[in-house]
Amino acid sequence: MSKQECENNSYQSKNNANTITLRNWTFAWVITMAIAAFAPKFIWDFNTALTITAMLINLAVGFRMLIANRTYLRDLDEMQQKILLEAMALALGVGLVVGLSYELLEDIKLITYQPEIPHVVILMGITYLIAVFSGYRKYQ
Amino acid sequence: MKNRLKVLRAERDWTQAQLASALEVSRQTINAIEKGKFAPSLPLAFKAARLFNLAIEDIFQDEVETV
């Protein structure tokens, strides 16, 4: 097996292409989310038609991002799939358990502010990153 | 699960990256299999067996003692 053959690794090149596609759709989704969130107030003064259009575009791009993510996951090798599956399971579990308890804190008057969904999303994101990192370390 | 992947690879003077390329997995996965930290699936084990032209049990051995 030559170095050239190694560099032409179909797994690696497919993985790289999937990563770039996922990155591009994620970036597009963030942009459309920002437009849907801020443009009604700062650009078109809550014009209903434009706001609905922005929301629909955001949803469509979001679904396309999900499809890109599914393709990315399916084309990973079995060990990487296992690492990411465990990380996703942990992030979902932490999000559910901590999210519900967090929501309860206001109801039982232990906190005075309104719990926000982004806090749970940030927690899930951090949990996912730590789980992926520790998963790769486990198999090193 | 024990395996002879590292020995077989060394006999052919292949790097982990080259073996990963041949088996269409990541280099990290080859490293984990060689160290016994990750047990490959049956399809991947068959693929390795075909690559080395050996039987699966010549490459991978169960560590549980049989009576």
Side-chain angles (χ1 to χ4, degrees):
Chain A
M1 238 180 303
S2 67
K3 194 179 176 194
Q4 183 64 35
E5 281 174 312
C6 185
E7 283 168 358
N8 290 339
N9 182 352
S10 65
Y11 170 77
Q12 201 60 54
S13 54
K14 192 164 61 176
N15 193 238
N16 289 346
N18 286 342
T19 305
I20 290 167
T21 304
L22 179 58
R23 182 202 64 191
N24 291 345
W25 279 111
T26 305
F27 184 70
W29 176 70
V30 170
I31 295 294
T32 57
M33 176 65 86
I35 291 170
F38 299 114
K41 185 177 179 184
F42 296 110
I43 299 178
W44 56 66
D45 193 27
F46 297 102
N47 179 302
T48 308
L50 288 175
T51 302
I52 290 172
T53 305
M55 283 303 301
L56 290 177
I57 290 172
N58 176 239
L59 279 174
V61 173
F63 279 115
R64 190 59 191 78
M65 179 185 70
L66 291 182
I67 291 168
N69 191 37
R70 186 185 63 174
T71 306
Y72 171 79
L73 290 171
R74 282 183 173 177
D75 286 346
L76 288 175
D77 73 31
E78 53 195 60
M79 188 187 80
Q80 291 175 320
Q81 282 182 349
K82 185 176 160 64
I83 290 170
L84 294 195
L85 178 70
E86 286 174 3
M88 284 187 285
L90 187 65
L92 181 65
V94 168
L96 185 72
V97 172
V98 177
L100 287 176
S101 297
Y102 180 50
E103 203 276 332
L104 195 65
L105 289 178
E106 197 215 6
D107 296 344
I108 58 177
K109 310 293 180 201
L110 282 179
I111 56 172
T112 52
Y113 58 92
Q114 178 75 32
E116 300 281 349
I117 287 178
H119 297 161
V120 179
V121 174
I122 290 167
L123 174 72
M124 289 175 74
I126 291 169
T127 306
Y128 180 74
L129 284 175
I130 292 170
V132 169
F133 181 72
S134 63
Y136 275 103
R137 280 198 60 127
K138 188 169 92 177
Y139 292 112
Q140 259 180 9
Chain B
M1 188 190 287
K2 289 188 298 184
N3 69 79
R4 296 178 54 231
L5 218 53
K6 190 173 184 176
V7 175
L8 293 167
R9 178 173 64 78
E11 282 172 2
R12 287 155 182 80
D13 202 21
W14 291 347
T15 63
Q16 284 187 340
Q18 286 172 318
L19 180 57
S21 171
L23 294 177
E24 294 189 306
V25 295
S26 63
R27 192 198 57 76
Q28 290 89 341
T29 298
I30 295 298
N31 185 51
I33 294 171
E34 283 185 358
K35 288 185 172 177
K37 291 186 174 180
F38 178 74
S41 67
L42 208 47
L44 183 56
F46 270 115
K47 207 170 181 179
R50 271 197 306 273
L51 179 69
F52 291 114
N53 207 19
L54 293 168
I56 286 183
E57 57 268 31
D58 293 333
I59 305 175
F60 301 98
Q61 292 91 34
D62 194 359
E63 283 180 297
V64 177
E65 291 291 326
T66 51
V67 180

